[in-house]
Amino acid sequence: MPEVDLSIIIPARNNKAKNASIIKMIADETRSLDVEFIVIDLNSTDGGVLDALNMMKTGNLKGSVIQCGNGTVSAALNTGIQKAKGRYITFVYPTRLYKNYINEYFKVAEEKQAEFVFAVPSSNDENHKEVIPEGILGTDIVVRLIRSSIYMDFTAVLFRRDFLLRHSVRFYEECTLGYAESFIYNSLLANPRTAFIDMEIRRDYVNSLLNGSQAGISNNCFERLDAMIKVAENANRLHPDDAVLNEAFEYQKLPAVVVNCIDKLLGEGFNKTSIRKLLKNKGYDEYLKVSGSTSDDLKKKIVQWKFMPWLYR
């Protein structure tokens, strides 16, 4: 199969009629590009995959449906990367769709020969507007993401396919929560040529699948923590001399994910004693570290949790 401009990879598990509408929407938006659709079916039983095939056939669109069994979305996305023929790849998540951004991403990628493209909407507050320099390293973007000085939607990005293959960047297949986030971080740690667009991408709620509509989605917040621990280890392996990067993981990112887990478990009705015991048994409490690299709000929560848990909210 000859190379195409862009491969659009869509994981599907009982997406009902949304498969066809998603493909039609994107096909209408990308008429100027040579696009292929790769639908990775995760053992659907609702006929949505047949709708996708019919849409590709009637619309004379390039694409295929690949059966991936009852695995994780992460595994499905890895299969899509291996099967893709596009010079560029993007992932479309049915529960988090956006409108009219792919053409702009592709145009910028071509103009700047970028290997990674994302959107950074401008802040209306001049005192808090982040200026991102051209040619910024991926590791510097990671630090800014960790420190929340820039925001990126991990589900609306574009990659050069040969970059992903060359650096063996893959989704953690056992991860069902936080897999997109860890994939983006690992991609950035390989320091791709980046390009960014000053634009506010808009959600498409009409064609989106409602959150919770897909079976098999994990609520285990510790899966995200396990994934980010692996990313932090990868950062240290690739960039052992980058103290700023590694301290950002050790004293901000990992503690923040642990605190997020604590808050989620409290919200689900677990008591503090049980959570503290759980963290200790799993060894996660060792990641609750603070330093000058830790934000004030996070530092306050960690100190309260460790030394004054009765004050923790």
Side-chain angles (χ1 to χ4, degrees):
M1 181 177 178
E3 191 176 67
V4 297
D5 288 335
L6 177 64
S7 298
I8 297 172
I9 301 171
I10 308 171
R13 178 185 277 128
N14 291 332
N15 292 2
K16 303 177 183 177
K18 295 297 184 180
N19 285 330
S21 61
I22 289 170
I23 291 171
K24 183 178 187 307
M25 175 198 72
I26 297 173
D28 289 342
E29 292 176 1
T30 58
R31 291 187 183 280
S32 62
L33 302 179
D34 187 8
V35 170
E36 68 166 351
F37 293 91
I38 301 177
V39 178
I40 310 294
D41 180 48
L42 292 158
N43 212 23
S44 296
T45 58
D46 63 352
V49 172
L50 183 60
D51 291 341
L53 285 170
N54 288 335
M55 176 56 66
M56 285 187 272
K57 182 178 179 180
T58 58
N60 196 27
L61 305 173
K62 294 179 181 177
S64 60
V65 172
I66 300 172
Q67 301 292 335
C68 202
N70 196 29
T72 63
V73 174
S74 304
L77 295 170
N78 283 335
T79 299
I81 293 172
Q82 293 301 316
K83 299 294 184 181
K85 301 298 181 182
R87 287 185 295 120
Y88 295 93
I89 288 175
T90 191
F91 307 102
V92 171
Y93 300 86
T95 56
R96 196 171 181 89
L97 289 178
Y98 292 95
K99 301 177 182 178
N100 294 311
Y101 71 95
I102 294 177
N103 280 331
E104 289 298 316
Y105 276 30
F106 183 86
K107 180 181 177 181
V108 169
E110 289 282 84
E111 288 176 352
K112 299 188 177 182
Q113 290 299 291
E115 295 168 323
F116 178 68
V117 181
F118 62 103
V120 180
S122 290
S123 169
N124 293 323
D125 185 349
E126 291 295 332
N127 294 322
H128 295 89
K129 183 175 288 188
E130 176 74 5
V131 177
I132 304 176
E134 293 290 337
I136 185 173
L137 291 175
T139 49
D140 291 335
I141 296 174
V142 169
V143 172
R144 295 182 188 213
L145 287 170
I146 290 173
R147 292 177 174 172
S148 300
S149 61
I150 65 171
Y151 170 78
M152 178 192 306
D153 194 306
F154 300 129
T155 61
V157 293
L158 182 142
F159 294 93
R160 183 91 181 185
R161 177 171 61 97
D162 59 9
F163 164 79
L164 295 176
L165 298 178
R166 189 167 67 251
H167 292 278
S168 300
V169 180
R170 294 172 56 82
F171 291 87
Y172 294 137
E173 296 201 351
E174 72 283 1
C175 182
T176 62
L177 190 66
Y179 52 85
E181 177 186 29
S182 58
F183 182 83
I184 300 300
Y185 274 71
N186 279 329
S187 300
L188 290 168
L189 290 174
N191 280 329
R193 292 190 301 273
T194 60
F196 49 89
I197 303 175
D198 181 356
M199 68 180 292
E200 186 82 44
I201 51 177
R202 295 174 296 127
R203 291 284 300 275
D204 180 349
Y205 293 101
V206 174
N207 295 303
S208 289
L209 197 70
L210 294 176
N211 278 316
S213 299
Q214 289 178 297
I217 296 176
S218 171
N219 289 317
N220 182 3
C221 61
F222 292 118
E223 286 193 9
R224 179 182 174 225
L225 176 57
D226 289 337
M228 292 313 303
I229 291 170
K230 290 182 181 179
V231 175
E233 292 170 347
N234 191 35
N236 186 260
R237 178 181 63 84
L238 293 173
H239 309 282
D241 299 323
D242 192 333
V244 173
L245 173 69
N246 288 299
E247 286 179 9
F249 274 106
E250 184 175 5
Y251 296 110
Q252 181 65 35
K253 185 61 180 180
L254 295 181
V257 179
V258 176
V259 167
N260 179 266
C261 287
I262 292 170
D263 291 344
K264 184 172 183 180
L265 291 171
L266 287 172
E268 292 176 354
F270 288 86
N271 64 59
K272 293 174 184 177
T273 301
S274 297
I275 297 171
R276 290 171 71 87
K277 183 180 295 185
L278 179 62
L279 293 179
K280 183 177 181 179
N281 289 341
K282 289 181 172 288
Y284 293 141
D285 54 350
E286 70 181 72
Y287 297 106
L288 289 172
K289 301 177 182 179
V290 299
S291 75
S293 300
T294 311
S295 67
D296 290 341
D297 288 346
L298 179 59
K299 189 180 298 183
K300 178 181 177 181
K301 296 198 76 168
I302 292 172
V303 169
Q304 284 186 341
W305 177 259
K306 293 179 73 171
F307 304 109
M308 299 172 285
W310 59 89
L311 293 178
Y312 191 89
R313 295 289 184 272

